[in-house]
Amino acid sequence: MYNMSEPAYIRIYNDIRKKIEVNDWHVGQKLPSERALAKEYQVSRMTLRQAIQFLVRNGLLVRRVGAGTFVANKKVQEKMEGVTGFSEIIKAQGKTPSFKTVSFVEVVPNDTEKEVLQLKASDKIMRIERIRFGDEIPICFEVAAVPLNFIAGAKKSEIVNSLYSAVQQSTGQRIGRAEQNVTAVLSNEKISGYLEIPYSSAILKLQQVSYLDDDQPFELVIAQYAGDRFEFYLERRNTF
């Protein structure tokens, strides 16, 4: 039963949300056309579009350029605590992780990499660019910079498949802490293409510096996550 005191777009929003929650509309399902939905709800297409935009902003629906509007996958979540690899996060969500290597090159570090990783002018890094997927859906584009001395002797396949394992094997040390900084930005043309999202979509940009047990920084990662597919969350415990 609709609450007729509510604006029409809110009634539509609540009805579609309920259909998703009870699985009448399942994850990945394509919505009917705006014309068909406007007719079903007996509203103008403008009102219908307002409800759809509200659902998209709240992560319940996702628009795919040239394909239509679909029920969104549940967002992958990362708890901002400790050091966890992307594959482990994806597996913990019951999804299948995969990746595509965009580039894998030995280069001279830029100023930021040099400062953060505490490198000398003569040091070199391996810079790795990858698109990360969960159930074949692109989740993030990441650029990782690792000093060569931390992956000495490791093969490319070992580095791209499990960087942390390669570092631990090469250094004989365990992975320690990580420092993370997250900001909200808009996707440029390159990132939009990699993540298959509309240009200027909301994305989460993460900068992470990872350290070994002896507090040496061994990795700088800049990762850009599709905002409607991934979220970070914090857990606070009372100390009083």
Side-chain angles (χ1 to χ4, degrees), residues 4 7 14 27-28 48-49 55 62 84 87 99 102 105 122-123 136 139 158 161 165 181 183 195 200 205 207 212 238:
M4 299 309 293
N14 287 331
V27 170
L48 187 282
R49 190 172 294 121
L55 288 155
V62 59
T84 308
S87 294
F99 65 87
V102 177
V105 292
S122 58
D123 290 334
E136 300 185 353
I139 301 295
E158 295 172 336
N161 283 300
S165 294
N181 180 272
T183 55
L195 298 181
S200 201
K205 185 175 182 179
Q207 176 174 303
L212 295 174
N238 288 334

Side-chain angles (χ1 to χ4, degrees), residues 107-127 144-150 207 209 211 216-222:
V107 294
V108 174
N110 60 36
D111 290 341
T112 299
E113 293 163 339
K114 194 179 300 180
E115 179 182 355
V116 170
L117 296 173
Q118 301 173 14
L119 300 175
K120 301 174 184 176
S122 58
D123 290 334
K124 286 191 175 182
I125 61 166
M126 188 65 72
R127 188 180 295 138
V146 184
L148 292 183
N149 60 299
F150 288 108
Q207 176 174 303
V209 184
Y211 298 81
Q216 289 185 83
F218 72 88
E219 176 196 39
L220 169 63
V221 173
I222 306 294

Side-chain angles (χ1 to χ4, degrees), residues 73-76 86 90 95 131-141 194-195 204 224-227 229-231:
N73 285 280
K74 290 183 178 179
K75 293 183 180 181
V76 175
F86 181 87
I90 293 296
K95 300 177 183 291
I131 304 170
R132 297 281 205 166
F133 300 83
D135 286 348
E136 300 185 353
I137 297 173
I139 301 295
C140 84
F141 171 70
Y194 285 151
L195 298 181
L204 297 172
Q224 299 183 67
Y225 294 83
R229 301 171 194 162
F230 197 94
E231 62 184 18

Side-chain angles (χ1 to χ4, degrees), residues 1-20:
M1 180 70 67
Y2 292 141
N3 180 353
M4 299 309 293
S5 65
E6 293 179 328
Y9 81 93
I10 293 295
R11 296 200 304 271
I12 298 168
Y13 171 89
N14 287 331
D15 188 61
I16 293 178
R17 183 182 64 180
K18 184 177 180 180
K19 287 179 178 178
I20 294 172

Side-chain angles (χ1 to χ4, degrees), residues 15-216:
D15 188 61
I16 293 178
R17 183 182 64 180
K18 184 177 180 180
K19 287 179 178 178
I20 294 172
E21 289 174 348
V22 301
N23 211 35
D24 284 345
W25 287 6
H26 57 80
V27 170
Q29 179 176 338
K30 183 177 180 179
L31 269 64
S33 68
E34 286 187 357
R35 183 186 299 276
L37 285 173
K39 183 177 181 180
E40 176 183 343
Y41 286 106
Q42 299 182 338
V43 295
S44 68
R45 291 183 67 178
M46 182 177 296
T47 298
L48 187 282
R49 190 172 294 121
Q50 189 176 8
I52 296 298
Q53 288 173 342
F54 196 17
L55 288 155
V56 170
R57 285 200 301 270
N58 284 278
L60 296 169
L61 301 178
V62 59
R63 283 198 174 101
R64 297 177 186 163
V65 179
T69 304
F70 298 79
V71 178
N73 285 280
K74 290 183 178 179
K75 293 183 180 181
V76 175
Q77 293 185 327
E78 178 180 0
K79 186 177 180 180
M80 297 185 71
E81 178 180 278
V83 184
T84 308
F86 181 87
S87 294
E88 287 70 30
I89 294 168
I90 293 296
K91 289 176 182 176
Q93 301 288 324
K95 300 177 183 291
T96 301
S98 59
F99 65 87
K100 176 183 178 182
T101 302
V102 177
S103 68
F104 183 91
V105 292
E106 181 181 319
V107 294
V108 174
N110 60 36
D111 290 341
T112 299
E113 293 163 339
K114 194 179 300 180
E115 179 182 355
V116 170
L117 296 173
Q118 301 173 14
L119 300 175
K120 301 174 184 176
S122 58
D123 290 334
K124 286 191 175 182
I125 61 166
M126 188 65 72
R127 188 180 295 138
I128 309 159
E129 296 186 350
R130 288 182 288 191
I131 304 170
R132 297 281 205 166
F133 300 83
D135 286 348
E136 300 185 353
I137 297 173
I139 301 295
C140 84
F141 171 70
E142 69 172 25
V143 180
V146 184
L148 292 183
N149 60 299
F150 288 108
I151 48 175
K155 298 178 181 178
K156 176 181 177 180
S157 59
E158 295 172 336
I159 296 169
V160 297
N161 283 300
S162 183
L163 174 61
Y164 288 2
S165 294
V167 169
Q168 289 182 127
Q169 185 172 351
S170 177
T171 63
Q173 294 192 54
R174 294 177 60 82
I175 305 301
R177 64 187 178 89
E179 297 175 352
Q180 298 177 324
N181 180 272
V182 180
T183 55
V185 297
L186 299 178
S187 62
N188 59 29
E189 187 173 354
K190 173 183 174 181
I191 301 303
S192 297
Y194 285 151
L195 298 181
E196 299 176 13
I197 56 177
Y199 173 74
S200 201
S201 293
I203 60 175
L204 297 172
K205 185 175 182 179
L206 167 75
Q207 176 174 303
Q208 176 173 303
V209 184
S210 303
Y211 298 81
L212 295 174
D213 265 348
D214 65 358
D215 230 27
Q216 289 185 83

